[in-house]
């Protein structure tokens, strides 16, 4: 309770807070609209734009500095205490004092590493209440896990290396390494634990991870053995220092496991000549998400273990029973997916499709994940910068804004500049997959949209430019049987995750209390390694039994809600509900094509783009969202920083936001 209590209390208090915030979302948009003066935010001001950390905002830099200062202070405090305790060991030679100080230093590094481990698993709990509390989506928090992992590995190496130095000084290296003590740390378990940590760290380094991604993915599953041998090594008391963060991760992992067991129906697949595949997945009407959400997708026919993240390319207002993805063929997995959909589009296989199980592709889904609130709606002026397939996320934003303006829902956005950098012009048809089929002509009065497309590897337009060709190579409908995406995970759903967290945590307290009352105390259990594994076992039992009970009830509620739905697919927007005459509407393709300017043989000049917007907008907030490779993020972040540093009182404030995600 002493070590994990504060984290659990914050998580419990986050539940009612998030519920209240979700109720007041429309009020927040109204308050933002009434607020005239722009504000500077540390979280959207990029400080470091290049280097090993990538783009780092002012808030993130402050967090890094504070954590390093905290670690240094912890080491210093432990060291001072050790110097105070040194005389209590009695009369010793200088060499014996050195041995004791080395041992104490090793313990200090171990305690500091446990502090790091207490935070290490919170950023990778994808649906964590804590991440939702501070509105940091998983794709952003992943790099915090990377930073903490590197720092933790450094401290663990100092911990093990210092103990090795002490063993060598006493001439008992091999004996101490193989020793399995009951009254204090089991050294051999610690050596095995460090080996697992080292394997996970080495395979996660960028050169290894990018070249051998599957090796990184599979090796990272060793975290289960890492937990077990860490509990065996340090016992229950020390393990409690990191137990709260690990328990929250276990809750999230079990929930994702339950969600991913469902086979999700793929209602249609479309293949474009540029190598991009559009998948439309079935979802229940009560599954909530925002336009800047993403999901993890597994296709069992391609790999039973690989999960790949993709941005959602559809707005939640496009239809309540479907969700779309745009997947570009850039690797082995995505190449196989495109090949599968193109093979199924052949005439001979289309006939056999309903009777040939091998011709189907079976999907499993985790998510959707993302920001708790649609922050892009908070800006009246938006700059969207996409690189290649990064346009997918912005198609969802455009569609969402189209729908909101059309349906008169809360939306502050009125000026949008979309900058899209692509290699070849055959990717241009992807732009026409956004949103509403028919768009009212009055939209051009309410929304000022400027689309600047840069084709970098072509010096002149192709002959067929200007034709409204969707570029579809093949279309398959449907290509698999299954169910809707499970609503066990979803942005905006707070009540059931809150019940899951509270019941599981209370279950952990009950399990530990029963174990202590009826087993540990009556039988005088005192072995460190045994108590450690008992604590870890209680955590697992609490997740499986108490958490599993809540998930079972959650499934029943989900099934009941699905049965109550009318069952009408909302794939197409129901234009009959609007009184605007048909002749006052234009097609989506015609509207977007009229706003598009294509530049061939050049890259975006962000200094020029941002400068013209600064002159045109005046003293306002301008939201900048980037979705693309690291080089593109750095260029945009550098220009945002430059504009902020040299701005005058009448210039706008550019707020940098990144939507890119890669493992």
């Amino acid at each position: 309770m002493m070590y994990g209590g504060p984290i659990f209390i914050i998580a419990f208090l986050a539940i009612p807070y998030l519920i209240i915030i979700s109720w007041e979302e429309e009020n927040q948009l109204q308050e933002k609209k009434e607020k005239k003066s722009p504000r500077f935010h540390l979280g959207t001001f990029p400080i470091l734009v290049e280097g090993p950390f990538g783009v780092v905002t002012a808030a993130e830099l402050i967090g890094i500095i504070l954590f390093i200062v905290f670690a240094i202070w912890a080491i210093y405090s432990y060291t001072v205490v050790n110097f105070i305790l040194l005389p209590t060991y009695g009369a010793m030679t200088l060499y014996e004092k050195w041995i004791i100080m080395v041992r104490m230093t090793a313990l200090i590094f171990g305690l500091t590493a446990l502090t790091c481990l207490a935070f290490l698993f919170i950023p990778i709990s994808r649906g964590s209440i804590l991440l939702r509390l501070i509105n940091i989506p998983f794709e952003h928090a992943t790099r915090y896990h990377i930073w903490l992992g590197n720092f933790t590995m450094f401290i663990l190496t100092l911990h093990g290396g210092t103990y090795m130095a002490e063993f060598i000084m006493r001439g008992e290296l091999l004996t101490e390494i193989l020793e399995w003590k009951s009254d204090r740390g089991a050294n051999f378990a610690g050596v095995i634990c460090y080996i697992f940590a080292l394997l996970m760290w080495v395979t996660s380094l960028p050169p290894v991870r990018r070249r051998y991604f599957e090796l990184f993915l599979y090796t990272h599953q060793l975290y289960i053995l890492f937990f077990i041998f860490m509990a065996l090594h340090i016992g229950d008391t020390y393990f409690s220092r990191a137990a709260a963060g690990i328990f929250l991760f276990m809750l999230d992992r079990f929930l994702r496991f339950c969600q991913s067991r469902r086979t999700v129906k793929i209602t249609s697949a479309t293949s474009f000549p540029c190598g991009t595949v559009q998948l439309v997945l079935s979802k229940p009407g009560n599954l909530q998400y925002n336009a800047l959400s993403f999901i993890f997708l597994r296709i069992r026919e391609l790999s039973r273990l690989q999960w790949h993240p993709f941005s959602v390319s559809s707005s939640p207002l496009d239809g309540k029973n479907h969700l779309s993805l745009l997947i570009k063929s850039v690797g082995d997995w995505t190449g196989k997916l495109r090949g599968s959909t193109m093979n199924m589009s052949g005439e001979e296989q289309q006939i056999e499709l309903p009777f040939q199980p091998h011709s189907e592709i079976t999907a499993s889904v985790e998510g959707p994940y993302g920001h708790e609130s649609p922050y892009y709606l908070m800006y009246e002026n938006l700059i969207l910068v996409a690189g290649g397939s990064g346009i997918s996320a912005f198609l969802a934003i455009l569609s969402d804004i189209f729908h909101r303006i059309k349906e008169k829902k809360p939306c502050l956005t009125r000026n949008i500049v979309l900058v899209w950098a692509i290699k070849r012009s055959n990717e241009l048809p992807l732009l026409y997959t956004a949103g509403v089929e028919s768009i009212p002509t009055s939209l051009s009065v309410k929304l000022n949209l400027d689309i600047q497309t840069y084709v970098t590897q072509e010096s002149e337009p192709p002959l067929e430019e200007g034709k409204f060709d969707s570029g579809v190579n093949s279309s398959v409908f449907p290509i698999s049987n299954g169910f809707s995406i499970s609503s066990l995970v979803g942005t905006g759903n707070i009540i059931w995750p809150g019940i899951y967290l509270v019941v599981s945590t209370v279950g952990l307290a009950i399990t530990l209390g029963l174990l202590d009352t009826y087993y540990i105390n009556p039988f005088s259990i005192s072995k460190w390694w045994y108590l450690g594994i008992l604590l870890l076992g209680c955590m697992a039992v609490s997740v499986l039994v108490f958490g599993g009970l809540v998930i079972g009830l959650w499934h029943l509620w989900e099934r009941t809600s699905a049965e109550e739905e009318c069952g009408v697919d909302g794939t197409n927007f129901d234009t009959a509900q609007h009184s605007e005459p048909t002749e006052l509407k234009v097609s989506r393709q015609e509207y977007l094509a009229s706003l598009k300017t294509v530049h061939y043989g050049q890259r975006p000049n962000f200094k020029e783009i941002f400068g013209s917007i600064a002159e045109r907008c005046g003293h306002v907030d301008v939201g900048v969202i980037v979705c693309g490779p690291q080089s593109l993020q750095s260029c945009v972040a550098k220009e945002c920083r430059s504009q902020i540093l040299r701005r005058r009182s009448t210039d706008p404030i550019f707020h940098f936001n990144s939507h890119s995600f890669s493992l």
Side-chain angles (χ1 to χ4, degrees), residues 271-338:
S271 180
F272 293 86
C274 61
T276 298
V277 174
Q278 183 184 47
L279 295 182
V280 180
L281 307 177
S282 175
K283 80 170 187 70
N286 58 10
L287 179 66
Q288 302 179 46
Y289 70 98
N290 292 318
L292 281 179
S293 296
F294 70 97
I295 67 171
F296 279 81
L297 179 69
R298 180 185 66 175
I299 304 296
R300 297 176 187 173
E301 287 72 18
L302 304 182
S303 174
R304 289 188 171 270
L305 296 177
Q306 289 188 36
W307 292 84
H308 293 262
F310 298 103
S311 295
V312 175
S313 62
S314 60
S315 162
L317 300 177
D318 279 339
K320 73 174 191 176
N321 296 113
H322 83 282
L323 178 149
S324 300
L325 305 173
L326 284 177
I327 302 173
K328 187 175 182 180
S329 179
V330 294
D332 293 338
W333 190 91
T334 51
K336 291 177 182 178
L337 174 62
R338 182 169 184 260

Side-chain angles (χ1 to χ4, degrees), residues 381-540:
N381 303 276
L382 268 181
I383 302 176
L384 308 177
V385 183
S389 58
I391 192 66
S392 175
F394 298 149
L395 295 178
I397 287 182
L398 291 179
S399 178
D400 196 41
I401 292 174
F402 289 166
H403 277 296
R404 285 179 174 272
I405 293 178
K406 191 174 182 179
E407 300 175 30
K408 298 181 180 180
K409 291 180 178 290
C411 176
L412 298 184
T413 308
R414 289 297 178 264
N415 303 295
I416 302 177
V417 176
L418 173 59
V419 181
W420 186 23
I422 55 178
K423 293 181 179 180
R424 300 194 176 277
S425 57
N426 61 357
E427 297 184 47
L428 290 174
L430 296 179
L431 186 63
Y432 306 134
T433 63
V436 192
E437 290 298 331
S438 58
I439 296 175
T441 54
S442 60
L443 186 67
S444 60
V445 178
K446 300 177 181 178
L447 180 66
N448 180 21
L449 177 61
D450 181 18
I451 302 175
Q452 300 289 332
T453 306
Y454 294 81
V455 184
T456 60
Q457 295 187 3
E458 292 181 3
S459 57
E460 57 184 15
L463 297 176
E464 64 272 13
E465 187 191 30
K467 297 181 181 179
F468 299 127
D469 182 12
S470 63
V472 177
N473 182 281
S474 63
S475 185
V476 187
F477 178 89
I479 61 175
S480 73
N481 296 318
F483 304 92
S484 298
I485 299 173
S486 172
S487 60
L488 288 182
V489 179
T491 305
N493 187 357
I494 303 297
I495 296 178
W496 276 109
I499 297 173
Y500 176 62
L501 170 65
V502 173
V503 171
S504 300
T505 307
V506 172
L508 174 61
I510 293 173
T511 305
L512 288 171
L514 293 175
L515 182 72
D516 193 64
T517 303
Y518 294 101
Y519 182 65
I520 294 178
N521 287 337
F523 294 93
S524 301
I525 306 298
S526 60
K527 295 179 179 179
W528 278 32
W529 62 269
Y530 190 42
L531 290 172
I533 205 65
L534 286 176
L535 172 59
L536 187 60
C538 287
M539 293 165 62

Side-chain angles (χ1 to χ4, degrees), residues 112-377:
T112 307
L114 284 174
T115 304
C116 297
L117 286 169
F119 295 95
L120 181 62
F121 296 96
I122 293 177
I124 53 169
S125 300
R126 298 176 184 173
S128 171
I129 290 288
L130 297 179
L131 292 183
R132 299 171 73 171
L133 172 65
I134 55 180
N135 200 20
I136 295 181
F138 170 68
E139 68 268 24
H140 290 182
T142 301
R143 61 181 192 159
Y144 305 154
H145 171 74
I146 295 173
W147 298 346
L148 278 170
N150 290 328
F151 187 75
T152 303
M153 197 63 208
F154 173 70
I155 300 296
L156 283 176
T157 303
L158 292 178
H159 167 66
T162 311
Y163 263 124
M164 292 295 179
E166 185 224 343
F167 300 156
I168 293 173
M169 293 174 69
R170 291 196 285 112
E172 300 176 354
L173 177 61
L174 186 59
T175 304
E176 288 287 350
I177 288 178
L178 298 177
E179 193 166 16
W180 195 292
K181 300 174 183 177
S182 298
D183 58 342
R184 52 195 179 100
N187 294 342
F188 189 58
V191 172
I192 298 174
C193 177
Y194 180 80
I195 291 173
F196 289 138
L198 187 64
L199 287 173
M200 289 188 287
W201 178 72
V202 170
T203 54
S204 67
L205 295 175
V208 181
R209 185 179 72 245
R210 292 168 184 166
R211 188 171 181 180
Y212 306 103
F213 181 77
E214 291 189 17
L215 177 63
F216 152 74
L217 185 67
Y218 302 148
T219 306
H220 243 60
Q221 307 312 309
L222 293 173
Y223 70 84
I224 300 174
L225 296 176
F226 174 80
F227 288 163
I228 293 173
F229 281 93
M230 184 175 76
L232 291 171
H233 173 55
I234 60 180
D236 61 333
T237 302
Y238 285 123
F239 190 83
S240 297
R241 291 173 176 256
I246 294 174
F247 185 70
L248 293 179
F249 172 74
M250 292 170 65
L251 286 173
D252 178 76
R253 189 65 190 89
F254 182 60
L255 187 61
R256 292 191 283 118
F257 173 81
C258 294
Q259 186 198 29
S260 63
R261 295 306 92 193
R262 175 176 292 186
T263 300
V264 177
K265 180 181 180 181
I266 302 178
T267 60
S268 70
T270 303
S271 180
F272 293 86
C274 61
T276 298
V277 174
Q278 183 184 47
L279 295 182
V280 180
L281 307 177
S282 175
K283 80 170 187 70
N286 58 10
L287 179 66
Q288 302 179 46
Y289 70 98
N290 292 318
L292 281 179
S293 296
F294 70 97
I295 67 171
F296 279 81
L297 179 69
R298 180 185 66 175
I299 304 296
R300 297 176 187 173
E301 287 72 18
L302 304 182
S303 174
R304 289 188 171 270
L305 296 177
Q306 289 188 36
W307 292 84
H308 293 262
F310 298 103
S311 295
V312 175
S313 62
S314 60
S315 162
L317 300 177
D318 279 339
K320 73 174 191 176
N321 296 113
H322 83 282
L323 178 149
S324 300
L325 305 173
L326 284 177
I327 302 173
K328 187 175 182 180
S329 179
V330 294
D332 293 338
W333 190 91
T334 51
K336 291 177 182 178
L337 174 62
R338 182 169 184 260
S340 298
T341 56
M342 293 186 68
N343 289 338
M344 286 187 290
S345 67
E347 295 181 1
E348 69 282 356
Q349 291 197 8
Q350 276 200 5
I351 297 174
E352 299 176 357
L353 181 59
F355 311 101
Q356 298 292 332
H358 68 272
S359 63
E360 295 185 355
I361 57 176
T362 308
S364 299
V365 170
E366 288 185 9
Y369 305 104
H371 281 276
E372 197 63 27
S373 60
Y375 71 91
Y376 54 89
L377 299 176

